[in-house]
Amino acid sequence: EVQLQASGGGLVQAGGSLRLSCAASGFTFDGYAIGWFRQAPGKEREEISCFVFNDGTTYVTDSVKGRFTISRDNVRRTVALQMHSLKPEDTAIYYCHVLFRSRNYWGQGTQVTVSS
């Protein structure tokens, strides 16, 4: 069974940093792209997305480019989202995701709250 477990969320002050981690199992980890999505109140889950592909190439949406970095560790089977210079508008539930066998799989989400 495909399983994604997100962790690392918490409460930080504006300008602070957090590192989220997604631990994956149930598929050939190094063969698939893994992404992070976030869902803020009243927004779709796909509002913001960051991907790391199987060759290490990354994509980060413009709204967080320069502040967020996504990377993968194929030995530990984890994907990290390093977030710097956090803003209150970054407050959301963050989910990791994989498209495997033409189906979408989501982690349980981890809450990030940024106070002003």
Side-chain angles (χ1 to χ4, degrees):
E1 179 182 356
V2 173
Q3 292 186 338
L4 302 171
Q5 183 177 349
S7 62
L11 174 64
V12 297
Q13 293 182 317
S17 300
L18 282 174
R19 185 178 179 88
L20 308 184
S21 181
C22 176
S25 63
F27 62 97
T28 305
F29 178 80
D30 61 359
Y32 294 87
I34 310 293
W36 285 94
F37 298 79
R38 70 185 187 188
Q39 184 173 21
K43 301 291 186 178
E44 296 289 337
R45 183 174 294 173
E46 297 81 14
E47 179 199 37
I48 295 293
S49 60
C50 306
F51 290 91
V52 56
F53 299 94
N54 57 2
D55 65 354
T57 302
T58 62
Y59 168 81
V60 181
T61 56
D62 288 342
S63 61
V64 300
K65 187 174 295 183
R67 299 189 299 118
F68 290 13
T69 302
I70 188 169
S71 61
R72 67 191 301 156
D73 185 333
N74 289 336
V75 175
R76 298 181 60 213
R77 298 175 59 87
T78 59
V79 173
L81 184 66
Q82 181 66 57
M83 305 184 294
H84 296 291
S85 301
L86 284 164
K87 306 174 181 179
E89 55 261 43
D90 295 321
T91 295
I93 303 174
Y94 285 71
Y95 300 87
C96 55
H97 164 271
V98 65
L99 178 63
F100 176 67
R101 293 181 176 178
S102 300
R103 298 187 65 180
N104 292 292
Y105 294 87
W106 299 91
Q108 84 284 7
T110 184
Q111 176 70 48
V112 172
T113 303
V114 184
S115 62
S116 60

